[in-house]
C-alpha cells in the first residue's frame, strides 16, 4: 500500500490549508508529500500527523523547490525509514513547525535533509527518536552533499539506539544549526553532535551554536565530535556529561582548522573517556573551554593530544582526574601544540 493523505506533483503555486489530523497505515504512506517538480506551494496545517508503515515520513519533499510548509501539531512515525520530516534533493524550501516529533524504528530521523541546499527549518518542540541510526537531526550527502541549510530549533533532542546522534552532519558543507535545548543519547556510538565525513568528502565550514546540556549514556558516546572534517565552528553554552567507556567530551579526529568554544563544564565517568581528545592527524585546531574538566575513569585524561600538531587548547577552569593512571594533561607524538590553563590542575590517583 502506497497511499498518502495528500500529495502535490509537478505543479506550481498551489495552496492548501487544513485543520485536522492525518493518519496513514501503509508502507510508503506519507502524511504530506511533495513529488518532483513542485514549486511555490504554500501548505498550512493545524493538526497531528501519524504514520505507521515503513518509508512513511510525516512530511516529505522530493526534488521540489521554493515551497513553504507551516504546521502546528505533532508528528509521530512508528516504523523503519520513516522520518518526521525528510527533504530530498530539494532546495530553498521553508518549513515552520510548532509541535513535537516522535519516531521509532530503524533509521528514523526526526528531521532529515539529503542532497538539499538553502532550506530553512524552524522548529519549536521536542524531538524523540527510538531505534538504531535514528538521529535527531540529520544533514546528509547525496553525491553533492547538503549545503547552506539553516535549522533553528528550540526544544530538547533525545535518542535511544546505537549510532543515533542528536545532531549529525555527514559530508555536507556550510550549514547553520542553532539549538536552544538539551541533547541526551542512550546507545553505543550515539554522539551528541557529530560532524563527520562520507567517502572522501568531509563536512566543511559548518556552524553549530547550542545553548543547553549534552549527556551521553553508552560506549563510545562522544558529546561533540568532528571527524575527518575541517574549518567548522562549534559554540556551546552548557555542560557535558559522558558516562561510559570512550565517552569523550570534545573529540577531533583527522580534522584541521576547527574552532570549538564550550562555556560549561565537561565531566566524563568511563574508562579512557577524555575530556578533550585531539586524535591523530588533527592540526591547527582551536579549542576553548570556559569551565572545569573532570574525569573519574581509568586512564581518562583531562586533555589528550595524540600525534597532532599546532593545536591551541585554552582552559579557564580546573582540570581534575581521579581515575587510576589518568593524566590531567597529556601530549604524545605531536609538535608545536599549546595548552593554556587558568585554574588548578590535579591528578590524584597515579596520573601526572
Amino acid at each position: 500500500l502506497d497511499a498518502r493523505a495528500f500529495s502535490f506533483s509537478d505543479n506550481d503555486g498551489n495552496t492548501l490549508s487544513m485543520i485536522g489530523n492525518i493518519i496513514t497505515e501503509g508502507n510508503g504512506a506519507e502524511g504530506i508529500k511533495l513529488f518532483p517538480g513542485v514549486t511555490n506551494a504554500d501548505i498550512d496545517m493545524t493538526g497531528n500527523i501519524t504514520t505507521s508503515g515503513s518509508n512513511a515520513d510525516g512530511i516529505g519533499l522530493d526534488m521540489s523547490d521554493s515551497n513553504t510548509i507551516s504546521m502546528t501539531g505533532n508528528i509521530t512515525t512508528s516504523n523503519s525509514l520513516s522520518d518526521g520530516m525528510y527533504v530530498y534533493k530539494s532546495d530553498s524550501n521553508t518549513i515552520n513547525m510548532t509541535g513535537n516529533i516522535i519516531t521509532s524504528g530503524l533509521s528514523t530521523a526526526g528531521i532529515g535533509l539529503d542532497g538539499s541546499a538553502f532550506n530553512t527549518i524552524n522548529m519549536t518542540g521536542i524531538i524523540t527518536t527510538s531505534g538504531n541510526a535514528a538521529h535527531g537531526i540529520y544533514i546528509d550527502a547525496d553525491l553533492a552533499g547538503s549545503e547552506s541549510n539553516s535549522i533553528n530549533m528550540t526544544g530538547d533532542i533525545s535518542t535511544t539506539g546505537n549510532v543515533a546522534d542528536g545532531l549529525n552532519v555527514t559530508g555536507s558543507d556550510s550549514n547553520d544549526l542553532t539549538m536552544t535545548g538539551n541533547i541526551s543519547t542512550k546507545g553505543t556510538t550515539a554522539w551528541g553532535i557529530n560532524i563527520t565525513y562520507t567517502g572522501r568528502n568531509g563536512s566543511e565550514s559548518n556552524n553549530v551554536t547550542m545553548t543547553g546540556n549534552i549527556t551521553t549514556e553508552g560506549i563510545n558516546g562522544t558529546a561533540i565530535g568532528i571527524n575527518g572534517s575541517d574549518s567548522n565552528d562549534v559554540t556551546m553554552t552548557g555542560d557535558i556529561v559522558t558516562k561510559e567507556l570512550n565517552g569523550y567530551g570534545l573529540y577531533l579526529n583527522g580534522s584541521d582548522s576547527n574552532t570549538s568554544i564550550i562555556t560549561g563544564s565537561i565531566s566524563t565517568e568511563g574508562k579512557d573517556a577524555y575530556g578533550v581528545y585531539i586524535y591523530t592527524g588533527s592540526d591547527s585546531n582551536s579549542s576553548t573551554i570556559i569551565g572545569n574538566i573532570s574525569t573519574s575513569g581509568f586512564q581518562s585524561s583531562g586533555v589528550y593530544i595524540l600525534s597532532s600538531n599546532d593545536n591551541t587548547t585554552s582552559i579557564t577552569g580546573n582540570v581534575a582526574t581521579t581515575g587510576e593512571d589518568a593524566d590531567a594533561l597529556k601530549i604524545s607524538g605531536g609538535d608545536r601544540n599549546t595548552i593554556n590553563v587558568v585554574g588548578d590542575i590535579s591528578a590524584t590517583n597515579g596520573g601526572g
Side-chain angles (χ1 to χ4, degrees):
L1 179 64
D2 188 0
R4 296 157 185 89
F6 65 80
S7 64
F8 289 175
S9 179
D10 195 19
N11 51 52
D12 178 77
N14 290 292
T15 299
L16 173 68
S17 297
M18 174 181 174
I19 299 175
N21 300 321
I22 293 174
I23 299 173
T24 72
E25 296 181 353
N27 295 336
E30 293 149 301
I32 298 172
K33 178 72 173 190
L34 304 188
F35 281 100
V38 177
T39 57
N40 299 305
D42 190 345
I43 298 171
D44 191 341
M45 176 178 175
T46 300
N48 302 321
I49 298 175
T50 303
T51 75
S52 58
S54 64
N55 292 285
D57 304 318
I59 297 172
L61 281 71
D62 184 355
M63 300 174 66
S64 296
D65 304 331
S66 303
N67 301 287
T68 300
I69 298 175
S70 300
M71 177 175 174
T72 301
N74 301 322
I75 297 175
T76 303
T77 73
S78 57
N79 212 321
S80 61
L81 302 171
S82 300
D83 295 345
M85 302 180 195
Y86 183 51
V87 181
Y88 177 70
K89 287 189 176 180
S90 298
D91 302 334
S92 303
N93 298 284
T94 300
I95 301 176
N96 299 309
M97 178 175 175
T98 300
N100 303 322
I101 296 176
I102 300 172
T103 72
S104 57
L106 176 68
S107 297
T108 55
I111 298 172
L113 285 82
D114 193 354
S116 299
F118 300 103
N119 297 285
T120 299
I121 297 176
N122 302 309
M123 178 173 172
T124 299
I126 65 171
I127 295 176
T128 302
T129 73
S130 178
N132 294 338
H135 306 305
I137 296 175
Y138 187 30
I139 300 178
D140 190 22
D142 186 279
L143 298 181
S146 292
E147 299 182 352
S148 303
N149 298 286
S150 177
I151 298 179
N152 304 295
M153 178 171 176
T154 301
D156 297 338
I157 295 175
S158 63
T159 72
T160 302
N162 299 331
V163 201
D165 303 326
L167 304 177
N168 180 292
V169 180
T170 298
S172 299
D173 304 334
S174 303
N175 297 285
D176 191 351
L177 293 87
T178 302
M179 177 176 173
T180 301
N182 302 319
I183 295 175
S184 63
T185 70
K186 294 181 180 180
T188 300
T189 320
W191 296 14
I193 298 171
N194 186 6
I195 300 173
T196 190
Y197 68 97
T198 179
R200 296 182 179 179
N201 298 319
S203 293
E204 321 292 347
S205 303
N206 296 284
N207 182 57
V208 178
T209 303
M210 177 178 173
T211 302
N213 304 319
I214 298 176
T215 303
T216 70
E217 297 183 43
I219 295 171
N220 301 321
T222 289
I224 299 173
I226 302 175
N227 188 23
S229 300
D230 304 332
S231 303
N232 298 282
D233 292 338
V234 177
T235 302
M236 175 183 171
T237 301
D239 297 330
I240 289 172
V241 177
T242 74
K243 298 191 174 184
E244 297 289 348
L245 170 74
N246 297 136
Y248 311 127
L250 172 63
Y251 176 49
L252 304 178
N253 176 23
S255 300
D256 303 334
S257 303
N258 297 283
T259 300
S260 304
I261 302 173
I262 299 170
T263 301
S265 64
I266 298 175
S267 174
T268 73
E269 299 175 11
K271 177 181 180 292
D272 293 321
Y274 314 123
V276 176
Y277 190 21
I278 301 176
Y279 184 64
T280 301
S282 296
D283 302 331
S284 303
N285 298 285
S286 174
S287 305
T288 301
I289 313 298
I290 304 171
N292 299 324
I293 297 175
S294 62
T295 71
S296 58
F298 177 70
Q299 292 183 336
S300 295
S301 298
V303 176
Y304 186 15
I305 300 174
L306 176 63
S307 300
S308 299
N309 305 316
D310 300 300
N311 297 284
T312 300
T313 304
S314 301
I315 303 165
T316 302
N318 303 324
V319 181
T321 66
T322 58
E324 183 181 353
D325 198 24
D327 301 309
L329 308 175
K330 182 177 180 179
I331 299 176
S332 177
D335 300 325
R336 299 177 303 278
N337 295 287
T338 301
I339 300 176
N340 302 307
V341 178
V342 179
D344 298 330
I345 299 173
S346 63
T348 59
N349 196 11

